[in-house]
Amino acid sequence: MSIGLTRLLHRIAAGLGRLDVVFCGPEVPRGMKSYECNGLSMQYHSCVFEKLDPQRYVDGADVVMLYNPGLGHPAMAASWRESLKKLLVDAPKVCEKLPFVAISR
């Protein structure tokens, strides 16, 4: 993840006292270690959203970052189709307490 994004998340965590972020997407580099420092916790998962166990990884998060979720990217759109459908169907239940952010590089 970029240094600029990490700095921004550190500032948000400082203002809130704590921030738990989950990154997911097939382009998240495999083997990235979870990170925790000064109230900021970041977990990395090299898979699309529907492959995550919500009770294990998502329920305690403050925000989920969808890493390159195929928006406007024809080569990646198919791999995210089921995740995006799930988010749209579950959005009223999920998004009332958990924001999702889509980031593309």
Side-chain angles (χ1 to χ4, degrees), residues 8 14 18 76:
L8 174 64
R18 175 142 187 96
M76 298 189 72

Side-chain angles (χ1 to χ4, degrees), residues 42-87:
M42 296 191 294
Q43 295 179 36
Y44 303 98
H45 304 280
S46 299
C47 63
V48 291
F49 176 75
E50 85 259 9
K51 302 290 183 191
L52 286 180
D53 176 359
Q55 291 179 333
R56 184 169 179 195
Y57 297 113
V58 178
D59 286 351
D62 295 306
V63 65
V64 174
M65 300 272 191
L66 305 178
Y67 192 70
N68 284 336
L71 304 174
H73 194 299
M76 298 189 72
S79 65
W80 279 92
R81 188 168 287 118
E82 292 306 313
S83 286
L84 295 176
K85 280 184 192 175
K86 181 177 177 64
L87 286 171

Side-chain angles (χ1 to χ4, degrees), residues 18-32:
R18 175 142 187 96
L19 183 65
D20 295 306
V21 182
V22 173
F23 289 88
C24 70
E27 289 197 355
V28 170
R30 293 198 185 282
M32 282 193 76

Side-chain angles (χ1 to χ4, degrees), residues 84-103:
L84 295 176
K85 280 184 192 175
K86 181 177 177 64
L87 286 171
L88 290 172
V89 169
D90 293 342
K93 293 177 275 184
V94 173
C95 294
E96 69 186 29
K97 55 183 180 171
L98 180 64
F100 285 84
V101 177
I103 58 174

Side-chain angles (χ1 to χ4, degrees), residues 22-41:
V22 173
F23 289 88
C24 70
E27 289 197 355
V28 170
R30 293 198 185 282
M32 282 193 76
K33 303 287 184 200
S34 293
Y35 171 88
E36 188 154 344
C37 181
N38 297 327
L40 174 61
S41 169

